Amino acid sequence: MRFGALCVMAALYLGAGSANSAPPKRDANKPPMLVRLPAPPPKVPAAFNERILATIGDWQVGEFQRFASAFTSDHSGSTFGFLCGENCLFYFDLQAPCGADRSYSATIEGPAGRRAIALRCVNIAGLPLLSADAQAVPFNEMLGEEGGLLSISVTVGSEPPIVALFSLAGGAEAVRQAIDRAGTLRHRG
């Protein structure tokens, strides 16, 4: 029996219809079905040399130097996180070089909706990160209490946009713990 005939028989057996039928039409009113893969273990940016204190959902809480942090990673190794020392900021390490102090337009989408934001390239511990002021962008709303996913699309340079998708499961609690830990580190001084 030829391979093509086997494929047709397998399709018929699995309920795909007749060999000549068109694929089933999707209801335009229903969103496409998404499969959520488990988040990979969060990746600590190498320059941070971080000490991990806790794992909460898909996030980790840690500290390095005089910073407390909360972060998660996606399947490509990009990182979304929160750093808190004297000041606090949310950051993205999208594994693409950015120009020091340059601003970049981005779009984020999460449980609280879609929003255009501005990111600035900052250098922390020798690592260029795209940061957003914790007061200017409502990441706390985006994190929510229930988790979900946060997507970001940002153009760095003349390359096509970089798109990343991060789990928010555990993010709100991880950020709260990082803020508490930063207070302890400031008092230790």
Side-chain angles (χ1 to χ4, degrees):
M1 187 177 288
R2 291 186 7 226
F3 179 73
L6 283 173
C7 290
V8 170
M9 288 177 58
L12 290 170
Y13 177 76
L14 295 173
S18 71
N20 297 324
S21 68
K25 294 197 184 217
R26 188 176 70 77
D27 183 353
N29 295 323
K30 288 185 179 179
M33 184 174 75
L34 298 176
V35 176
R36 183 183 185 283
L37 298 173
K43 176 190 128 213
V44 178
F48 287 2
N49 192 22
E50 189 148 15
R51 184 171 74 112
I52 303 303
L53 304 172
T55 298
I56 303 164
D58 293 329
W59 285 62
Q60 289 188 340
V61 178
E63 66 179 43
F64 78 99
Q65 298 172 8
R66 292 185 179 166
F67 290 98
S69 68
F71 58 93
T72 190
S73 297
D74 74 356
H75 290 280
S76 72
S78 293
T79 304
F80 168 45
F82 177 77
L83 287 174
C84 202
E86 289 298 317
N87 297 306
C88 299
L89 59 84
F90 283 93
Y91 72 89
F92 295 93
D93 175 6
L94 301 176
Q95 303 179 66
C98 59
D101 290 325
R102 288 200 49 208
S103 290
Y104 299 89
S105 296
T107 302
I108 57 172
E109 186 170 357
R114 173 177 245 187
R115 171 178 291 245
I117 63 171
L119 298 173
R120 188 172 55 88
C121 186
V122 297
N123 188 311
I124 297 178
L127 187 65
L129 301 172
L130 293 169
S131 73
D133 184 336
Q135 304 301 321
V137 179
F139 281 109
N140 290 333
E141 289 175 30
M142 290 290 195
L143 290 171
E145 294 296 326
E146 312 226 346
L149 298 172
L150 178 84
S151 69
I152 181 169
S153 173
V154 61
T155 301
V156 178
S158 61
E159 299 296 317
I162 298 169
V163 178
L165 187 64
F166 300 101
S167 170
L168 300 178
E173 179 59 25
V175 167
R176 274 193 286 278
Q177 287 190 23
I179 291 170
D180 290 346
R181 186 71 185 155
T184 301
L185 292 173
R186 278 193 294 267
H187 284 96
R188 244 199 263 162

